[in-house]
Amino acid sequence: MLELRDVHSYYGHIHALKGISLSVEKGEIVTLIGANGAGKTTTLRTISGLLHPRHGSIWLDGERLDGLPPDIIVRKGVGQSPEGRQIFPRLTVMENLEMGAYTRNDKEGIRRDLEHVFGLFPRLAERRNQPGGTLSGGEQQMLAIGRALMCRPRVLLLDEPSMGLAPLLVETIFNIIRELNREGTTILLVEQNAAKALAVAHRGYVIETGHIVLSDNAANLRQNDLVRKAYLGET
Amino acid sequence: MVATRTKRVIRLEPTDVFIYIIGALIVFVVVVGSIATLSQGKYSINAWVDLFVFGVTLGSIYSLIALGYTMVYGILRMINFAHSEVFMSGPFTAYFLAEAFSRSGFLNQSPVIALILIFALSMGTSVLVAVLIERIAYRPLRNAPRLVPLITAIGASFFVQYMFRGLYGTNIKVYPEIEALKGQITLGAFRVSYIQILVIVAAAAMMLGLHLFVQKTRTGKAMRAVAEDRSTAALMGINVDNIIVTTFILGGALAGAAGVLYALVFTQVHFFMGFIPGIKAFTAAVLGGIGNIPGAMLGGLFLGVIESLGPMLFLDGLGITAPYQLKDAIAFSLLVLVLIFRPTGILGERIREKKA
Ligand SMILES: Nc1ncnc2c1ncn2[C@@H]1O[C@H](COP(=O)(O)OP(=O)(O)OP(=O)(O)O)[C@@H](O)[C@H]1O
Ligand SMILES: [Mg+2]
């Protein structure tokens, strides 16, 4: 459904993605794991059109995405919860969620999705009139995910949703990811917490310095020596 | 933030002491001057009320212009120095319509319709100029270092100024007066001219409208989202360029309206008329905390009142002759003081710096 073919992205002269190819099929959770600076965020930014690839192509259900501006890519069905949550701190929780639904006009559908998000994250419902900046880190992460859901994405991109969260909250977030997937959401999950990511994902890719070095189903990746040494901290 | 502040105090201590001495001196002059003036009792209550009302009138106009600076700063982190020219272009263009209406007698036959048309033309022209400046001078530099668009803004300002000078000439044009606006109403010590009422009411209505727009509408919320974080706003499906244009349209419309109000109060227009009100409004925006919309409204009113009352109140009692000529000095001293002592402005919330 989502496919990257030999994608190269640059920051000025820095060659950050050196030919990334990956795909995510409908209904899957696919994880992209890698160390700091490997190019995970760059991959997601490129898919969302914040960065335009210099070579290669990006496809969503047979439609080409690369080169389109980010707002059009959202309209085509790609939602992203960016790294570091990036909620709008002075907008209220409600307004943050409304911004998530910016591309939509169906009032009734928006209302239903809002209920759905509040169902997933009851804490957000309690805090709906509070500025986003006053939420705790975990609540901000919930808001970022909820906000990304509000555009009814065909593919949801999650950039390190567990970053900086207490273990209990990490558990909650991964449970939510599983639940969203069960409801039919297709997810591309970027994580440094490889153990958790591989536990929820169907398949995974390992990225190192802008290259995909491994790709397999999650179970095999968990058994892979490189993955075990470098990303699962096993010896 | 706390850490950087302590560091600064330690490093710049002699300078800080010097600055605080200056600050204390100014406070001293203001307090002693005010006491001296008031104890001499040279001016009646009525005179003070007149000055105050005039200050509010002028301040409302500053507020309207200041909103343009502050909204553009909020969204682009850039001072749109050409905004003073956006302000000038509207009423200068609308002058010709006003003049034509005046000659044909339409202006005084149906002043309401005539005024609406004059406002419409002025606002339309200012919006057009603002949007063209954004499209031609700023958008290509969207990702350039911050100094570049600043310099471009100064260039654009001169360009527009001299273009209008070329179009309409260098001489001062006298705005026709409207009979219906000539009177005044008296309420005890209050004496308010119709023009002042028009200015204050129109400005208040527009500011209320802007406030509701920014707080309640989808586009207004998107404006705030873009101001907080442009790339995340794009991830929401917001077309950032469109929101930026909307911001310039709003700022331009308010400036164009402010221009007509200014022309009604001072009854003249010329190609250089934007300069002083522009800097004053910029001062007002900084005073309120640049990027902060209610701040710009308050800053404008505050500056207008200080500028109107200040010369008499602070300086007259100290025996300074013709203090009113020093009103600009007061306004700009205020700018310097705010920049030194409270760079974040009166409503000084720190604007979150954008992360790369
Ligand atoms: N704005 C930028 N300008 C220049 N180089 C950048 C920029 N952002 C990222 N890079 C570089 O691109 C490479 C990939 O960065 P990226 O943010 O995609 O890594 P990441 O895998 O998401 O890392 P992390 O796990 O730390 O989030 C890194 O070498 C980084 O230094
Ligand atoms: Mg990253």
Side-chain angles (χ1 to χ4, degrees):
Chain A
M1 154 175 227
L2 175 70
E3 193 181 355
L4 278 71
R5 291 186 200 152
D6 190 32
V7 168
H8 292 254
S9 287
Y10 291 75
Y11 293 102
H13 295 294
I14 301 169
H15 196 171
L17 298 186
K18 301 165 187 161
I20 298 288
S21 297
L22 59 79
S23 66
V24 183
E25 296 308 323
K26 194 169 167 56
E28 271 189 319
I29 301 182
V30 171
T31 184
L32 181 61
I33 55 183
N36 287 106
K40 305 180 296 292
T41 299
T42 307
T43 304
L44 296 194
R45 288 172 64 85
T46 305
I47 296 171
S48 283
L50 292 176
L51 213 61
H52 295 302
R54 257 188 233 172
H55 301 284
S57 56
I58 301 173
W59 303 80
L60 181 70
D61 286 336
E63 247 187 301
R64 224 174 139 156
L65 294 187
D66 54 285
L68 297 178
D71 55 298
I72 302 295
I73 292 179
V74 176
R75 279 170 207 275
K76 301 253 181 228
V78 181
Q80 182 178 157
S81 160
E83 180 173 52
R85 338 197 202 289
Q86 311 296 15
I87 54 139
F88 302 111
R90 296 205 204 153
L91 267 59
T92 64
V93 168
M94 198 64 185
E95 287 170 338
N96 267 278
L97 293 171
E98 285 171 25
M99 289 298 102
Y102 186 80
T103 51
R104 299 172 54 185
N105 289 316
D106 55 323
K107 276 220 170 78
E108 187 48 35
I110 293 175
R111 201 193 51 76
R112 250 183 287 118
D113 286 351
L114 201 60
E115 290 305 312
H116 178 223
V117 168
F118 284 152
L120 288 171
F121 306 110
R123 290 280 271 289
L124 295 183
E126 290 165 28
R127 296 182 174 17
R128 66 176 81 193
N129 294 320
Q130 223 167 289
T134 63
L135 299 184
S136 73
E139 290 163 349
Q140 293 195 4
Q141 186 60 61
M142 297 173 189
L143 180 54
I145 295 175
R147 189 179 63 177
L149 287 173
M150 290 302 293
C151 71
R152 279 241 174 125
R154 290 200 273 167
V155 182
L156 177 63
L157 313 179
L158 299 175
D159 198 344
E160 302 207 31
S162 75
M163 185 167 63
L165 299 186
L168 208 65
L169 270 172
V170 172
E171 208 55 53
T172 314
I173 295 290
F174 276 99
N175 284 338
I176 294 285
I177 291 172
R178 228 182 247 117
E179 185 171 336
L180 285 175
N181 181 247
R182 232 179 328 205
E183 290 169 359
T185 312
T186 307
I187 296 172
L188 175 56
L189 170 67
V190 159
E191 260 302 335
Q192 284 207 34
N193 189 338
K196 284 266 185 284
L198 288 173
V200 296
H202 302 101
R203 290 190 301 118
Y205 293 83
V206 178
I207 180 172
E208 279 179 8
T209 58
H211 296 279
I212 298 284
V213 293
L214 265 180
S215 82
D216 209 331
N217 64 49
N220 288 347
L221 282 179
R222 272 198 301 273
Q223 301 307 321
N224 183 288
D225 280 343
L226 171 90
V227 174
R228 286 175 49 188
K229 279 213 195 77
Y231 301 104
L232 297 174
E234 297 171 12
T235 43
Chain B
M1 226 183 94
V2 174
T4 57
R5 177 171 295 168
T6 9
K7 211 158 73 197
R8 199 190 61 169
V9 171
I10 291 165
R11 246 205 352 247
L12 301 178
E13 203 152 355
T15 330
D16 277 7
V17 169
F18 178 70
I19 283 170
Y20 277 95
I21 290 176
I22 291 184
L25 273 177
I26 288 174
V27 171
F28 181 76
V29 167
V30 166
V31 171
V32 171
S34 306
I35 292 173
T37 307
L38 293 176
S39 64
Q40 285 169 10
K42 212 155 76 180
Y43 302 101
S44 66
I45 287 285
N46 284 25
W48 291 120
V49 170
D50 278 352
L51 284 177
F52 180 78
V53 173
F54 183 72
V56 172
T57 310
L58 196 57
S60 315
I61 296 175
Y62 291 159
S63 298
L64 290 177
I65 311 171
L67 284 166
Y69 283 101
T70 234
M71 286 192 295
V72 167
Y73 184 86
I75 251 170
L76 293 181
R77 297 292 182 276
M78 161 204 158
I79 310 292
N80 176 15
F81 277 115
H83 192 57
S84 49
E85 276 27 89
V86 171
F87 163 79
M88 170 275 289
S89 63
F92 204 4
T93 304
Y95 158 80
F96 296 96
L97 185 65
E99 183 55 31
F101 283 164
S102 171
R103 254 182 285 121
S104 71
F106 181 66
L107 189 61
N108 288 316
Q109 276 160 21
S110 353
V112 175
I113 296 173
L115 262 180
I116 288 174
L117 292 174
I118 291 169
F119 268 101
L121 179 61
S122 177
M123 291 165 82
T125 309
S126 291
V127 165
L128 188 68
V129 170
V131 169
L132 286 177
I133 290 173
E134 191 275 331
R135 192 71 193 79
I136 296 168
Y138 301 156
R139 193 179 299 185
L141 302 170
R142 195 61 53 75
N143 297 313
R146 281 164 112 182
L147 198 56
V148 176
L150 198 72
I151 295 167
T152 311
I154 295 171
S157 174
F158 280 116
F159 178 82
V160 175
Q161 214 176 80
Y162 284 90
M163 189 179 82
F164 276 83
R165 183 188 140 143
L167 276 175
Y168 303 148
T170 51
N171 46 352
I172 292 175
K173 307 214 174 343
V174 178
Y175 242 70
E177 287 183 57
I178 301 174
E179 290 300 327
L181 287 176
K182 270 187 176 159
Q184 59 181 32
I185 49 174
T186 324
L187 280 168
F190 270 99
R191 226 177 32 204
V192 193
S193 76
Y194 289 156
I195 287 190
Q196 287 173 334
I197 293 174
L198 174 71
V199 171
I200 294 168
V201 169
M206 281 185 277
M207 286 191 259
L208 180 68
L210 179 76
H211 177 78
L212 292 177
F213 179 83
V214 170
Q215 290 301 321
K216 303 288 179 209
T217 67
R218 196 173 87 113
T219 309
K221 290 172 192 175
M223 269 177 71
R224 285 188 285 141
V226 173
E228 291 201 11
D229 188 337
R230 204 189 295 166
S231 59
T232 304
L235 284 181
M236 302 296 107
I238 295 169
N239 182 327
V240 172
D241 280 336
N242 284 354
I243 294 296
I244 291 172
V245 171
T246 308
T247 307
F248 276 83
I249 290 175
L250 286 173
L254 294 177
V260 176
L261 298 175
Y262 191 84
L264 289 175
V265 173
F266 294 100
T267 64
Q268 56 183 32
V269 288
H270 53 101
F271 78 98
F272 203 60
M273 68 180 278
F275 184 66
I276 291 286
I279 297 189
K280 296 275 179 67
F282 170 63
T283 304
V286 172
L287 210 57
I290 190 132
N292 183 319
I293 289 179
M297 300 177 184
L298 282 180
L301 286 175
F302 186 73
L303 184 67
V305 170
I306 289 282
E307 191 184 304
S308 177
L309 288 179
M312 303 295 180
L313 188 60
F314 309 148
L315 303 177
D316 197 271
L318 300 175
I320 292 170
T321 46
Y324 202 67
Q325 291 177 3
L326 290 172
K327 67 179 172 38
D328 292 351
I330 289 186
F332 298 131
S333 308
L334 198 59
L335 174 63
V336 174
L337 288 177
V338 170
L339 287 176
I340 291 175
F341 291 103
R342 203 172 159 76
T344 51
I346 309 175
L347 295 190
E349 223 178 317
R350 193 158 188 77
I351 291 161
R352 203 175 56 136
E353 279 294 317
K354 271 195 75 114
K355 313 161 254 14

